[in-house]
Amino acid sequence: MEDLEWESAPLDLLRNAQPWRTFRWHKGQQHYSGTYWAATVRNHVIYESRLELARLLFADFAPNVRHFVAQPFLIKAVVEGKLRRHIPDYLLLTGDGPVVVDVKPRHRLERPKVAFTFAWTRAAVASRGWCYEVWSEPDLHELENIRFLAGYRRDWLFDPGLLDDLRACELEGRSLGEAFRLLPGCPRPLVKSAVLHLLWSGHMTTELDRPLSSGHVLRRAA
């Protein structure tokens, strides 16, 4: 543990920080804690609620997110004459710069204590030129689709030659059902799983605002 000035705390140090808290378990608790193996960091990352797990899934799926850390630091500030403390839920390192994330159910955002804490945290994060995000419940279809695709995130399970063959095909504009039938010489379950891995890894994209089906059209990632 190091006590550093916020403005000068090295980003490399925060990038490699260990979670500030350990799990709190008690009989009858209303939240579910656990660890998620993230393809982006190739390691397990902790979460303290199902909503935090959802945020991890979105971060792991986002091509612009290069790294993330759970409970990366305790931030302290004197606000209205009192010393305030807060531990953000995640630090995301993206292609556009660091993003500090707090995860909170939408119905709790208007509580005075929550709103006050997030307000001064936002000001502190902005003072470094970083982005601050309060993340609540996502679109359910998008969440379910990303959760489904996350089952195909482990790249070492896929035959590199099969993936190369699919990348060499013209996938733009094809439906998922058509893509699953592109390599008739290979077992269809292997081709299907490889196509879904290419969707997870960002080689191709498709609309995620409705349940995935064989009719979804594939697009080349920008």
Side-chain angles (χ1 to χ4, degrees):
M1 184 176 67
E2 295 186 52
D3 199 359
L4 302 170
E5 291 295 325
W6 167 241
E7 291 79 6
S8 60
L11 185 58
D12 284 345
L13 181 65
L14 301 180
R15 186 184 193 277
N16 296 299
Q18 296 298 308
W20 187 268
R21 287 192 298 260
T22 56
F23 289 142
R24 294 170 292 175
W25 302 98
H26 60 85
K27 183 177 180 181
Q29 70 182 29
Q30 298 301 307
H31 63 276
Y32 295 89
S33 303
T35 58
Y36 166 78
W37 189 87
T40 301
V41 302
R42 308 193 76 78
N43 206 341
H44 287 89
V45 183
I46 68 168
Y47 59 87
E48 289 190 314
S49 70
R50 299 293 290 182
L51 190 58
E52 287 189 11
L53 173 58
R55 186 65 188 91
L56 282 178
L57 285 165
F58 274 72
D60 205 21
F61 182 65
N64 194 40
V65 175
R66 315 291 171 76
H67 190 78
F68 43 83
V69 185
Q71 299 178 16
F73 47 77
L74 169 69
I75 189 168
K76 297 183 287 186
V78 176
V79 183
E80 296 183 356
K82 293 184 179 180
L83 181 63
R84 316 287 180 170
R85 297 177 174 87
H86 180 58
I87 303 169
D89 293 313
Y90 296 105
L91 171 65
L92 312 183
L93 303 184
T94 78
D96 300 318
V99 181
V100 176
V101 180
D102 273 311
V103 177
K104 192 69 66 176
R106 194 168 288 109
H107 71 273
R108 295 178 60 186
L109 295 180
E110 299 304 318
R111 296 183 180 181
K113 183 177 180 180
V114 172
F116 178 78
T117 298
F118 288 174
W120 72 256
T121 302
R122 182 182 298 277
V125 172
S127 72
R128 283 196 74 161
W130 294 2
C131 291
Y132 178 70
E133 172 190 282
V134 176
W135 200 83
S136 299
E137 293 85 349
D139 176 81
L140 287 179
H141 290 314
E142 189 175 8
L143 172 59
E144 289 305 313
N145 285 331
I146 292 175
R147 180 180 287 136
F148 170 73
L149 291 174
Y152 301 89
R153 69 189 184 277
R154 297 172 176 86
D155 54 6
W156 68 87
L157 298 178
F158 299 91
D159 179 355
L162 175 56
L163 293 175
D164 287 342
D165 289 344
L166 284 170
R167 292 189 186 102
C169 294
E170 183 52 60
L171 295 174
E172 174 75 23
R174 292 186 183 271
S175 69
L176 272 176
E178 291 171 334
F180 295 158
R181 297 189 294 270
L182 275 176
L183 303 176
C186 294
R188 187 173 176 185
L190 295 183
V191 177
K192 180 178 179 179
S193 63
V195 170
L196 294 172
H197 174 69
L198 292 180
L199 261 181
W200 166 265
S201 61
H203 179 74
M204 303 298 296
T205 65
T206 193
E207 297 296 327
L208 297 179
D209 58 354
R210 56 189 173 90
L212 279 175
S213 70
S214 60
H216 267 66
V217 176
L218 296 172
R219 300 297 181 196
R220 181 77 58 179

